Amino acid sequence: MMMWLNYLNRRFVLSGKLKSLIEESKLEGVIFRVDELEKAIAETRDYDKLVSGLIRSGKSVHEIIMAVVISDVRRAANQFILVQSRSKGKSGHVVFGIRSEFAWFELSIVDEVRHLWKEIDRKNVIIDMPGSKESTRAIPILIADAINLKVSNPIGFKRFHEILLGYLEGLEKRKAERKSLDQIHFLVSFNLRLIDELIDPLLLSIIQQSNNQSVIAIQMLGKSGIIFAAKIRQIYDEVFKSERFAILAADGARQANLMWDFSKSTEKDQNDGLSALMHQKETSVIFSMENLSAATQSPAGNTPAEASSSTIKWNLFQLENILGVNFNHLEEQIDEITLRDFNLPSKQLYELIRERIISTATLHWW
């Protein structure tokens, strides 16, 4: 099981905790979360000196936040240099995402990803994007630029397929231009528990009716995420076992990294059907600080046999046509949730920095 941690701040790196986790748990990478930065600035003095220096240099609130973020991301990326060397570039990455305000237009996404990639200036950084239609169209352009990418929660099966084909298209463009393919990393992550949280209320309402549908709903309760994961895996395997990818792989292209996001999962999730995904081949799992220790101590268990195409098709048919799950509406819901605050600094964080600026100006005036 390849593990990622959905947690990063200055103290975590400088205290040696990140280095210790890298050595002890074979941590593959970390993901920056802007809410962790807000918490650290509000509750500790870890950033006081850095923020004060940026204020004195005349930086705006937004420039201060970005400078702090980039400092943390670079520092963490440096911690993974040895992992990068040992794994020949396969492991040891830091993920940092674009802000949701840029995620509504393809050209805005392209410009922002290119800007962040150049600004951070670390080859083991991966830029995260929400799995929107606009991001899908931007992927071939950015992969052709040899920028490492992660796409979050592209729940629609058609969209996920288009995202993987966009990755291949970008690689093919580089191949046609006789450029290298072997250092490009492409990740796609899914929060399967979110699917359960959106579908289970419908299933519970059907169960209360005590009819023929309720029997099926009982069987499906809490398992929609697993059903979706099976279809996602099927699409993934079709693309990366294709002749089209084999031609690219011969020139060093890497398969996309399929990731299951457990960072907001409960202890129950560690013990139900989702836990089997932790030990699936050729995948990674994202944990939070709260559930990382439990995950590293849990036994591997048995990885279930892959569901057949007919089983996957039948399960999806039951959800949509018998139980009434609207897949298009589900995709829209998850798009909205993912895009709402995707790596977007909160108003509270802006206010915290503004207060520091005002306080510094007042002290300077006196």
Side-chain angles (χ1 to χ4, degrees), residues 132-185:
S132 63
K133 297 187 292 292
E134 294 76 17
S135 292
T136 303
R137 292 193 290 266
I139 287 167
I141 301 169
L142 296 168
I143 292 299
D145 287 347
I147 297 175
N148 299 328
L149 298 176
K150 175 179 175 291
V151 183
S152 296
N153 273 341
I155 292 301
F157 299 133
K158 181 181 178 182
R159 188 181 299 172
F160 176 54
H161 187 241
E162 290 172 349
I163 282 169
L164 296 186
L165 295 184
Y167 172 54
L168 300 195
E169 183 183 335
L171 293 174
E172 287 167 343
K173 184 176 180 181
R174 288 188 63 79
K175 178 178 170 66
E177 296 173 353
R178 300 183 181 277
K179 295 178 180 177
S180 64
L181 310 180
D182 59 339
Q183 295 302 312
I184 302 172
H185 296 268

Side-chain angles (χ1 to χ4, degrees), residues 220-353:
M220 294 290 186
L221 190 65
K223 297 179 181 177
S224 301
I226 291 293
I227 293 169
F228 269 71
K231 181 62 177 178
I232 289 162
R233 182 71 198 206
Q234 182 185 52
I235 295 168
Y236 176 91
D237 287 342
E238 287 172 357
V239 170
F240 290 105
K241 290 178 181 178
S242 68
E243 181 63 26
R244 182 179 178 183
F245 178 72
I247 293 170
L248 295 166
D251 280 345
R254 304 175 189 269
Q255 290 188 198
N257 191 359
L258 192 57
M259 309 175 80
W260 308 123
D261 188 349
F262 279 74
S263 61
K264 296 183 180 178
S265 295
T266 63
E267 185 176 346
K268 174 184 178 298
D269 296 333
Q270 310 288 337
N271 300 316
D272 67 10
L274 283 179
S275 62
L277 296 174
M278 295 183 187
H279 307 288
Q280 197 178 62
K281 291 181 179 179
E282 299 173 351
T283 58
S284 300
V285 185
I286 303 171
F287 295 106
S288 65
M289 281 295 289
E290 290 72 24
N291 60 22
L292 177 66
S293 58
T296 55
Q297 294 169 12
S298 64
N302 295 319
T303 303
E306 291 185 9
S308 66
S309 295
S310 58
T311 299
I312 295 170
K313 188 175 181 179
W314 172 239
N315 284 335
L316 292 172
F317 177 86
Q318 289 185 98
L319 281 174
E320 185 172 23
N321 296 284
I322 299 178
L323 299 176
V325 174
N326 186 324
F327 289 164
N328 290 331
H329 180 55
L330 178 69
E331 186 175 345
E332 291 171 1
Q333 284 181 292
I334 292 180
D335 273 353
E336 182 182 352
I337 292 168
T338 304
L339 282 166
R340 187 184 301 150
D341 298 310
F342 192 83
N343 205 39
L344 192 66
S346 68
K347 292 180 180 178
Q348 288 78 9
L349 180 55
Y350 276 94
E351 287 303 317
L352 278 170
I353 302 299

